[in-house]
Amino acid sequence: MDVELSEILDTLCEYAPFIDLKDEPILQDMVKDIEITYLRAGEWAIAPEARNQTLFFIRSGAIEAKNKNGKLLRRMHEGDVFGSSSLLRGGRSSHTMMALEDSLLYRIPARWFIQFYSEFDSFSDFFELSREVRLKTAMDNQSSDLSLMTCPVHSLLRRPPITASHDVDIKTAANIMSNERVSSLLITENNSLVGILTDRDLRNRVVAKGLPLDVRVDMIMTQNPVTVDAGDFASEAVLKMMATNIHHLPVVKNGRPFGVISTGDLVQRESHGSVYVISDIFKQEDVEGLVAISQKMDHIFTQLVNADANTQMIGNAMSHIGVAFVKRLLQLAERELGPPPIPYCFLALGSQAREEQTISTDQDNALILHDRYDKALHGDYFRELSDYVCKNLDRCGYPLCTGDIMAMNPRWRIPLSEWKKTFAEWIEKPKAEALLHVSIFFDLRGIYGDKTLARQLNSYIRELAKENKGFLSALARNANQRTPPLGFFRQFVLDGEGKQSRTFNLKSRGIAPIADLVRVHALALGSNKLNTFERLEDIEEAGIMPDGRARDLILALEMIGMVRIKNQKNQIEEDESPNNNVNPETLSEFERRHLRDAFNIVSRQQEFLKYRYPGKG
């Protein structure tokens, strides 16, 4: 196969439904029949009333699907396929497809689609429930059983687990995988899961290293793999696969192997581009590749919202993606600058550390250096490293922090001992400037490098803060500075300016007040959690709040968060830059009523702070 055809094949096999067919020789024959088409923005892929005999794969660009009445159905981007519905109806198409921007398409003849549809279950399963139907169902019915939030993992499984004993040799394991036509094999010992073997393991750990085939499989398998319980929601599987950048996730039931789900299984269910984007990020060899991926973030965000993911899942997903950009930039920086001269830890701060990011966010980060740090010897390296990461994050859609809270600021690039002194001063002498930093710096997570440095700092902060009542009182007063936008008679108080004059800010007047007051309780409790939802669970268990109040705040946070992200989705679909401002006149009566209830809950809990942490005003 020549280089061009090989490149086409490799590209197709990165995406469903072709990813599950990558080892099928017939796929190489199909690639030879593919035609490449370039469309300029505004040109038809499938024109009105036209018959279609092609399955289209989007190599680059964007395609817009509309019904006969001109209503927008969906927008498709790189890696999406379309045209299957008309092929299943003999070529009759009820939708039009137009290039939204200059696009490069692979045209796969209908005969190949029909053949694959008939011969391969994974291929036909992908198209059985069309993406149009999935999207419409997710938007129309929030309790849809198609949602990853309500879909149990076991419902995604298509066959019993394929297993092998830990003491079989590599050749036997490979034969099992080949005969069963699977790309992963669960390895067991006494019926308990001890490892997983994948096609990638065979390539990288056997073929690439020239290992003999009589070596035992437990010498090359991934030991103690990440797992998910059969009864968990599929959303849990998504988050685990994104967080660990894996493509096969063993499913267990009562501690025993129950099956395997792959990224392809999840994409078939919800078509979440976020499942693949982290893997794509780590494949990029330069900043330009990362910038290209960052341009898909609006699309990924709207997919998550349309699929009825809740705010916690969306925050997790967007934060994991943001962290992946940081990690890959650090890897590229180290490749350019050489290995670090001393250990360091790159910190995510604020909403990224809490795993509560949405689509509209700037960067907040810092660097912990090992106490062996010598500015004369090591200063230039870490300055260049931080500049590289922060400036290129800006190119990737994470704007530079207007408050200069970034690792490229030498004030926030210091050794562990200096970080401890800084936090000790903030806690023991809580002046105005220190309290301004609390909402960002007291939520910190180590995301790259020597993470023990971050754990040591977090442990130090927890121990110091929970014993300092004066600090907690000052923190409580500060948390009450940002109040919900409710006036007399439960009327919304508008605080926007200029074009936003009829709006209020859901982040600063809703999300942030909850995060601030929950942080006070979490520090007082000594909780090691960072996510606001998880902190509230610790607070509820500890009984710090009156019965039911922590649960009320969870519901309030979810309500405010959902209005926020749906408003951002609508802004994106209207080609506006997403922000946190919402015009109450654009909300439904349901949303307005429940927002008022949520804001009242926040106000009552801010009053409780005054009682719980009294101090001098």
Side-chain angles (χ1 to χ4, degrees), residues 83-148:
S84 59
S85 298
S86 54
L87 295 180
L88 292 172
R89 291 195 297 266
R92 291 181 292 107
S93 179
S94 59
H95 303 149
T96 61
M97 308 287 176
M98 176 183 284
L100 190 61
E101 58 190 52
D102 292 353
S103 302
L104 190 67
L105 307 178
Y106 293 164
R107 298 171 57 100
I108 301 170
R111 68 181 182 86
W112 287 108
F113 171 81
I114 298 302
Q115 181 176 349
F116 285 6
Y117 192 91
S118 301
E119 293 184 8
F120 300 107
D121 289 342
S122 63
F123 191 86
S124 58
D125 285 348
F126 180 82
F127 294 102
E128 281 294 331
L129 188 60
S130 71
R131 292 186 178 191
E132 290 91 341
V133 174
R134 282 199 298 269
L135 183 57
K136 185 177 186 302
T137 305
M139 289 189 293
D140 291 347
N141 185 2
Q142 290 193 351
S143 62
S144 166
D145 62 359
L146 297 177
S147 170
L148 285 178

Side-chain angles (χ1 to χ4, degrees), residues 87 179 505 558:
L87 295 180
N179 293 336
N505 190 298
E558 181 65 29

Side-chain angles (χ1 to χ4, degrees), residues 15-17 39 41 43-47 52 54-67 71-86 93-106 126-127 130-135 267 270-273 295-300 302-303 306 572-573:
Y15 300 90
L39 296 181
E43 291 185 343
W44 296 107
I46 301 179
N52 174 50
T54 300
L55 180 70
F56 293 86
F57 174 90
I58 304 176
R59 179 64 179 87
S60 63
I63 301 293
E64 194 170 64
K66 293 184 178 181
N67 65 14
K71 181 180 178 181
L72 177 65
L73 298 175
R74 62 186 174 120
R75 287 173 177 160
M76 298 165 288
H77 297 260
E78 179 181 340
D80 286 330
V81 292
F82 64 92
S84 59
S85 298
S86 54
S93 179
S94 59
H95 303 149
T96 61
M97 308 287 176
M98 176 183 284
L100 190 61
E101 58 190 52
D102 292 353
S103 302
L104 190 67
L105 307 178
Y106 293 164
F126 180 82
F127 294 102
S130 71
R131 292 186 178 191
E132 290 91 341
V133 174
R134 282 199 298 269
L135 183 57
V267 167
E270 287 285 9
S271 185
H272 277 172
Q295 294 170 356
K296 305 175 188 176
M297 294 303 295
D298 283 357
H299 174 63
I300 291 168
T302 55
Q303 276 189 310
N306 284 334
I572 291 170
E573 292 178 344

Side-chain angles (χ1 to χ4, degrees), residues 20-21 23-26 116 119-122 158-159 162 173-184 199:
D20 290 329
L21 306 179
D23 295 326
E24 299 294 339
I26 195 173
F116 285 6
E119 293 184 8
F120 300 107
D121 289 342
S122 63
R158 291 179 290 166
R159 63 185 301 175
I162 306 302
N175 283 334
I176 293 174
M177 294 171 68
S178 178
N179 293 336
E180 295 290 344
R181 299 180 69 177
V182 293
S183 57
S184 64
D199 283 345

Side-chain angles (χ1 to χ4, degrees), residues 90-371:
R92 291 181 292 107
S93 179
S94 59
H95 303 149
T96 61
M97 308 287 176
M98 176 183 284
L100 190 61
E101 58 190 52
D102 292 353
S103 302
L104 190 67
L105 307 178
Y106 293 164
R107 298 171 57 100
I108 301 170
R111 68 181 182 86
W112 287 108
F113 171 81
I114 298 302
Q115 181 176 349
F116 285 6
Y117 192 91
S118 301
E119 293 184 8
F120 300 107
D121 289 342
S122 63
F123 191 86
S124 58
D125 285 348
F126 180 82
F127 294 102
E128 281 294 331
L129 188 60
S130 71
R131 292 186 178 191
E132 290 91 341
V133 174
R134 282 199 298 269
L135 183 57
K136 185 177 186 302
T137 305
M139 289 189 293
D140 291 347
N141 185 2
Q142 290 193 351
S143 62
S144 166
D145 62 359
L146 297 177
S147 170
L148 285 178
M149 293 312 301
T150 57
C151 167
V153 167
H154 65 74
S155 70
L156 301 177
L157 299 176
R158 291 179 290 166
R159 63 185 301 175
I162 306 302
T163 65
S165 175
H166 71 104
D167 54 5
V168 304
D169 59 31
I170 294 172
K171 182 177 181 180
T172 301
N175 283 334
I176 293 174
M177 294 171 68
S178 178
N179 293 336
E180 295 290 344
R181 299 180 69 177
V182 293
S183 57
S184 64
L185 184 66
L186 299 183
I187 309 302
T188 62
E189 183 176 2
N190 298 325
N191 294 322
S192 295
L193 181 69
V194 294
I196 184 172
L197 181 70
T198 68
D199 283 345
R200 181 177 295 183
D201 295 330
L202 291 173
R203 291 195 304 270
N204 296 343
R205 300 175 184 177
V206 180
V207 177
K209 295 187 177 180
L211 283 183
L213 299 184
D214 57 359
V215 171
R216 281 175 36 151
V217 72
D218 55 10
M219 300 299 293
I220 63 160
M221 69 182 185
T222 298
Q223 299 182 7
N224 302 316
V226 176
T227 64
V228 66
D229 190 87
D232 287 345
F233 290 134
S235 58
E236 292 295 320
V238 171
L239 295 178
K240 286 186 176 182
M241 295 172 85
M242 290 177 65
T244 53
N245 192 27
I246 57 177
H247 301 280
H248 298 87
L249 185 64
V251 180
V252 296
K253 185 175 182 179
N254 299 323
R256 300 294 177 86
F258 195 68
V260 176
I261 58 174
S262 67
T263 48
D265 298 320
L266 295 170
V267 167
Q268 287 174 27
R269 199 70 177 207
E270 287 285 9
S271 185
H272 277 172
S274 53
V275 176
Y276 281 121
V277 71
I278 289 180
S279 176
D280 289 343
I281 287 170
F282 285 106
K283 291 177 183 176
Q284 303 309 307
E285 294 299 322
D286 52 38
V287 175
E288 284 65 31
L290 294 175
V291 172
I293 291 178
S294 72
Q295 294 170 356
K296 305 175 188 176
M297 294 303 295
D298 283 357
H299 174 63
I300 291 168
F301 175 76
T302 55
Q303 276 189 310
L304 287 165
V305 180
N306 284 334
D308 194 29
N310 67 13
T311 58
Q312 193 169 8
M313 180 181 177
I314 291 174
N316 254 290
M318 299 303 290
S319 299
H320 282 310
I321 293 171
V323 166
F325 276 110
V326 175
K327 288 182 176 178
R328 188 56 183 153
L329 284 170
L330 284 162
Q331 291 171 351
L332 294 175
E334 288 184 1
R335 188 171 71 182
E336 184 174 309
L337 300 173
I342 59 170
Y344 74 95
C345 182
F346 198 92
L347 300 177
L349 305 173
S351 61
Q352 189 174 67
R354 296 194 305 272
E355 297 183 342
E356 296 169 7
Q357 281 190 313
T358 64
I359 192 62
S360 178
T361 183
D362 61 1
Q363 55 177 293
D364 294 307
N365 49 59
L367 211 62
I368 304 179
L369 303 169
H370 193 279
D371 280 337

Side-chain angles (χ1 to χ4, degrees), residues 420-440:
K420 289 181 177 179
K421 290 177 183 177
T422 300
F423 275 96
E425 186 172 344
W426 287 344
I427 293 170
E428 293 167 0
K429 301 175 183 178
K431 298 178 182 178
E433 182 190 13
L435 294 174
L436 287 175
H437 290 142
V438 166
S439 63
I440 297 178

Side-chain angles (χ1 to χ4, degrees), residues 332-480:
L332 294 175
E334 288 184 1
R335 188 171 71 182
E336 184 174 309
L337 300 173
I342 59 170
Y344 74 95
C345 182
F346 198 92
L347 300 177
L349 305 173
S351 61
Q352 189 174 67
R354 296 194 305 272
E355 297 183 342
E356 296 169 7
Q357 281 190 313
T358 64
I359 192 62
S360 178
T361 183
D362 61 1
Q363 55 177 293
D364 294 307
N365 49 59
L367 211 62
I368 304 179
L369 303 169
H370 193 279
D371 280 337
R372 297 205 315 266
Y373 174 71
D374 183 324
K375 184 177 180 180
L377 296 176
H378 312 135
D380 287 346
Y381 180 92
F382 289 108
R383 174 182 53 78
E384 292 179 23
L385 179 91
S386 301
D387 284 357
Y388 182 97
V389 173
C390 295
K391 290 177 180 178
N392 284 313
L393 276 175
D394 183 44
R395 293 180 60 194
C396 291
Y398 298 88
L400 297 173
C401 174
T402 55
D404 206 19
I405 299 177
M406 296 174 290
M408 62 191 292
N409 182 344
R411 185 181 180 187
W412 311 127
R413 191 174 66 244
I414 54 179
L416 177 61
S417 57
E418 290 188 37
W419 275 114
K420 289 181 177 179
K421 290 177 183 177
T422 300
F423 275 96
E425 186 172 344
W426 287 344
I427 293 170
E428 293 167 0
K429 301 175 183 178
K431 298 178 182 178
E433 182 190 13
L435 294 174
L436 287 175
H437 290 142
V438 166
S439 63
I440 297 178
F441 282 97
F442 279 71
D443 299 337
L444 65 87
R445 186 187 299 273
I447 60 174
Y448 186 86
D450 185 356
K451 296 179 184 178
T452 60
L453 296 171
R455 288 195 289 270
Q456 290 178 49
L457 183 56
N458 265 321
S459 178
Y460 178 81
I461 294 167
R462 287 196 303 271
E463 292 301 317
L464 201 60
K466 73 177 183 179
E467 301 298 333
N468 196 306
K469 294 182 179 179
F471 170 69
L472 294 173
S473 295
L475 200 58
R477 291 194 300 274
N478 191 66
N480 282 334

Side-chain angles (χ1 to χ4, degrees), residues 402-604:
T402 55
D404 206 19
I405 299 177
M406 296 174 290
M408 62 191 292
N409 182 344
R411 185 181 180 187
W412 311 127
R413 191 174 66 244
I414 54 179
L416 177 61
S417 57
E418 290 188 37
W419 275 114
K420 289 181 177 179
K421 290 177 183 177
T422 300
F423 275 96
E425 186 172 344
W426 287 344
I427 293 170
E428 293 167 0
K429 301 175 183 178
K431 298 178 182 178
E433 182 190 13
L435 294 174
L436 287 175
H437 290 142
V438 166
S439 63
I440 297 178
F441 282 97
F442 279 71
D443 299 337
L444 65 87
R445 186 187 299 273
I447 60 174
Y448 186 86
D450 185 356
K451 296 179 184 178
T452 60
L453 296 171
R455 288 195 289 270
Q456 290 178 49
L457 183 56
N458 265 321
S459 178
Y460 178 81
I461 294 167
R462 287 196 303 271
E463 292 301 317
L464 201 60
K466 73 177 183 179
E467 301 298 333
N468 196 306
K469 294 182 179 179
F471 170 69
L472 294 173
S473 295
L475 200 58
R477 291 194 300 274
N478 191 66
N480 282 334
Q481 296 300 309
R482 294 194 276 198
T483 58
L486 278 184
F488 291 110
F489 309 112
R490 286 165 52 94
Q491 295 300 310
F492 293 118
V493 176
L494 306 179
D495 56 9
E497 298 179 355
K499 292 182 179 179
Q500 303 291 339
S501 61
R502 301 294 300 167
T503 68
F504 54 81
N505 190 298
L506 278 174
K507 179 180 180 181
S508 62
R509 301 296 297 275
I511 303 295
I514 296 177
D516 287 347
L517 72 88
V518 169
R519 185 185 301 107
V520 179
H521 292 311
L523 288 172
L525 177 63
S527 170
N528 63 359
K529 303 294 178 27
L530 294 175
N531 179 266
T532 302
F533 287 101
E534 294 177 358
R535 281 173 165 172
L536 279 165
E537 291 174 357
D538 278 2
I539 291 165
E540 182 178 40
E541 185 177 342
I544 288 181
M545 291 181 175
D547 287 348
R549 296 297 182 261
R551 189 57 46 184
D552 287 345
L553 268 178
I554 289 175
L555 294 174
L557 181 58
E558 181 65 29
M559 181 64 207
I560 298 169
M562 283 307 300
V563 174
R564 177 194 183 196
I565 61 178
K566 286 184 178 180
N567 186 62
Q568 291 176 332
K569 176 191 79 78
N570 291 338
Q571 290 170 330
I572 291 170
E573 292 178 344
E574 293 171 7
D575 293 325
E576 299 176 5
S577 296
N579 57 55
N580 296 299
N581 294 307
V582 62
N583 183 340
E585 295 177 1
T586 66
L587 302 177
S588 67
E589 180 55 36
F590 174 89
E591 290 171 322
R592 287 195 294 269
R593 182 171 67 252
H594 287 283
L595 264 185
R596 291 188 185 100
D597 292 339
F599 289 145
N600 273 321
I601 289 172
V602 179
S603 295
R604 288 197 299 270

